[in-house]
Amino acid sequence: MLLVCRTCPRDHRDTGSFGDAVRAVTRAPAVDDEAPTKALYVNCLGACDLPGNVALDGIGKSRVRFSGLAAERVADLRTACAAYDASPTGDPGEWDVPADLRPAISGVAPKRGPRSSARP
């Protein structure tokens, strides 16, 4: 799933252009057998100093955050989503991160294992 920060940048002009660009990419018709890109607009992805934040996240997979994306750099998000979804762990070394997005990786958060309710 693609997570999109809907509150950044809070303190700049034209704050809607990034979200509009991402929305256009995710709502574009699928090509051939391509799965539609699911996006969830969230309040914060924790990189407020670099506006233009999105993250790829999935059950049991590392969350990969991209920061500082300009509206014109979001075209590769659909490709990134498909490659991430196909990878077993989500770690960037395991799937083909589009070249334009590689320098924008600002965080990788591996998932923790299940928590045990048993106490020693």
Side-chain angles (χ1 to χ4, degrees), residues 1-97:
M1 174 162 302
L2 177 67
L3 305 176
V4 183
C5 182
R6 67 182 198 174
T7 57
C8 68
R10 286 178 260 240
D11 55 352
H12 295 1
R13 291 177 175 234
D14 195 22
T15 60
S17 62
F18 178 72
D20 290 344
V22 173
R23 200 171 288 109
V25 167
T26 60
R27 290 187 178 169
V31 180
D32 298 326
D33 294 332
E34 184 181 60
T37 303
K38 296 177 183 170
L40 178 64
Y41 291 80
V42 298
N43 283 332
C44 187
L45 288 171
C48 299
D49 56 331
L50 293 170
N53 294 289
V54 298
L56 299 175
D57 200 2
I59 296 171
K61 295 183 180 190
S62 295
R63 178 181 282 187
V64 180
R65 184 183 63 205
F66 299 91
S67 298
L69 295 179
E72 52 275 356
R73 288 186 57 200
V74 301
D76 287 330
L77 285 176
R78 191 175 212 151
T79 302
C81 287
Y84 176 87
D85 287 346
S87 75
T89 68
D91 294 330
E94 173 182 282
W95 54 280
D96 189 21
V97 179

Side-chain angles (χ1 to χ4, degrees), residues 91-115:
D91 294 330
E94 173 182 282
W95 54 280
D96 189 21
V97 179
D100 284 349
L101 296 179
R102 275 186 220 130
I105 294 175
S106 61
V108 178
K111 294 286 170 61
R112 296 181 188 164
R115 294 183 182 176

